[in-house]
């Protein structure tokens, strides 16, 4: 493995360490106006952007579209609660791999049951549990990436020397891409199952309400 490749792997692993977890304590307990929400999201998630100096983390148009597509409950008097922000963080991470309808399938049961539910177990507890699991997976993910990189470095030994380094990187990208592809298929399969369950539950509720007394 060359020094250049060592640096590449170290850079990738270090980028995983820089993935920022937004703690519920980082979010104000007061209601925020739209501009305050976009500023908060930008300050907390800027490091995750591909082009930090150019990419928009969240815009007013995005938030309005999320509300229009029933991904986000409407604000109260144009103000957004802490729970709104937690939902926006879920949406931010999902939107890179899932369609709007798939995100809606995932979040609708959560918002229906736990958004402003007034109980001890609510949306904040769900957020803590879900993102706590993700933080625990970082070391395992780093080990998996390092192993995929090691395997990729053993490929294309017989390729022309002037193309060998590129092809090894190409093999590494292919391996990571296949991993993402398979996991995306798994997620979509589970979302489809949830969709079927929700349709069934909706039909049952409709049947019960239409039954004569």
């Amino acid at each position: 493995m060359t020094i250049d490749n060592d640096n590449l792997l170290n850079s990738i692993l270090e980028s995983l360490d820089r993935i920022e977890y937004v703690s519920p304590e980082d979010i104000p307990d007061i209601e925020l106006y739209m501009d305050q929400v976009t500023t908060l999201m930008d300050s907390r998630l800027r490091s995750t952007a591909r082009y930090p100096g150019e990419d928009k983390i969240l815009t007013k148009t995005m938030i309005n579209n999320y509300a229009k597509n029933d991904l986000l409950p409407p604000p109260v008097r144009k103000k957004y609660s802490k729970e709104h922000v937690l939902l926006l963080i879920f949406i931010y991470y999902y939107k890179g791999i899932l369609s709007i309808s798939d995100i809606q399938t995932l979040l609708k049961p959560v918002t229906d049951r736990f958004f402003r539910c007034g109980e001890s177990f609510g949306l904040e507890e769900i957020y803590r549990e879900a993102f706590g699991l993700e933080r625990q997976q970082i070391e395992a993910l780093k080990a998996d990436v390092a192993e995929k990189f090691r395997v990729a470095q053993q490929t294309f030994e017989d390729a022309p020397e002037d193309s060998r380094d590129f092809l090894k990187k190409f093999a590494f990208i292919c391996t990571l891409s296949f991993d993402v592809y398979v996991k995306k298929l798994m997620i979509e399969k589970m979302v489809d199952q949830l969709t079927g369950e929700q349709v069934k539950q909706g039909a049952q509720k409709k049947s019960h309400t239409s039954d004569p007394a």
Side-chain angles (χ1 to χ4, degrees), residues 20-205:
E20 187 171 358
Y21 168 75
V22 183
S23 168
E25 284 72 30
D26 296 330
I27 304 170
D29 284 317
I30 60 174
E31 294 187 329
L32 304 172
Y33 285 108
M34 175 84 80
D35 286 341
Q36 293 173 308
V37 172
T38 56
T39 299
L40 174 66
M41 292 286 284
D42 188 78
S43 67
R44 295 299 178 182
L45 296 172
R46 172 58 51 189
S47 62
T48 66
R50 182 177 184 181
Y51 303 109
E54 304 172 19
D55 291 348
K56 297 291 186 182
I57 299 300
L58 193 68
T59 65
K60 295 178 183 180
T61 300
M62 291 177 188
I63 294 177
N64 287 330
N65 284 338
Y66 298 152
K68 182 179 178 181
N69 286 282
D70 294 326
L71 298 182
L72 192 72
V76 178
R77 296 186 294 276
K78 298 183 179 181
K79 288 187 175 182
Y80 297 84
S81 67
K82 183 175 185 176
E83 290 184 318
H84 278 108
V85 177
L86 295 176
L87 286 171
L88 285 170
I89 295 172
F90 276 118
I91 294 170
Y92 175 75
Y93 285 112
Y94 286 150
K95 69 185 180 70
I97 57 172
L98 295 176
S99 66
I100 291 294
S101 61
D102 283 347
I103 299 174
Q104 183 182 20
T105 297
L106 279 175
L107 290 184
K108 182 172 173 49
V110 175
T111 55
D112 286 350
R113 177 67 179 84
F114 299 104
F115 186 83
R116 287 180 175 159
C117 64
E119 300 176 9
S120 58
F121 187 88
L123 188 59
E124 184 170 329
E125 284 66 35
I126 292 175
Y127 178 89
R128 287 183 187 277
E129 192 81 17
F131 279 88
L133 286 173
E134 293 183 10
R135 294 182 71 189
Q136 294 171 20
Q137 292 299 311
I138 291 295
E139 291 305 316
L141 179 59
K142 287 167 64 177
D144 180 63
V145 169
E147 175 60 16
K148 284 181 169 60
F149 188 85
R150 184 191 67 79
V151 171
Q153 287 302 301
Q154 298 175 353
T155 62
F156 294 109
E157 292 297 331
D158 297 329
E161 186 175 354
D162 60 351
S163 298
R164 200 173 298 157
D165 185 62
F166 163 76
L167 290 173
K168 289 178 185 293
K169 290 184 175 70
F170 180 77
F172 182 45
I173 291 171
C174 287
T175 303
L176 292 173
S177 299
F178 183 70
D179 186 68
V180 172
Y181 169 73
V182 171
K183 288 177 180 176
K184 186 172 184 289
L185 287 179
M186 294 167 60
I187 293 170
E188 290 173 344
K189 182 70 174 178
M190 287 186 285
V191 170
D192 289 343
Q193 184 179 17
L194 288 173
T195 301
E197 292 173 356
Q198 291 173 17
V199 169
K200 183 177 179 181
Q201 290 171 1
Q204 289 174 343
K205 288 181 181 179

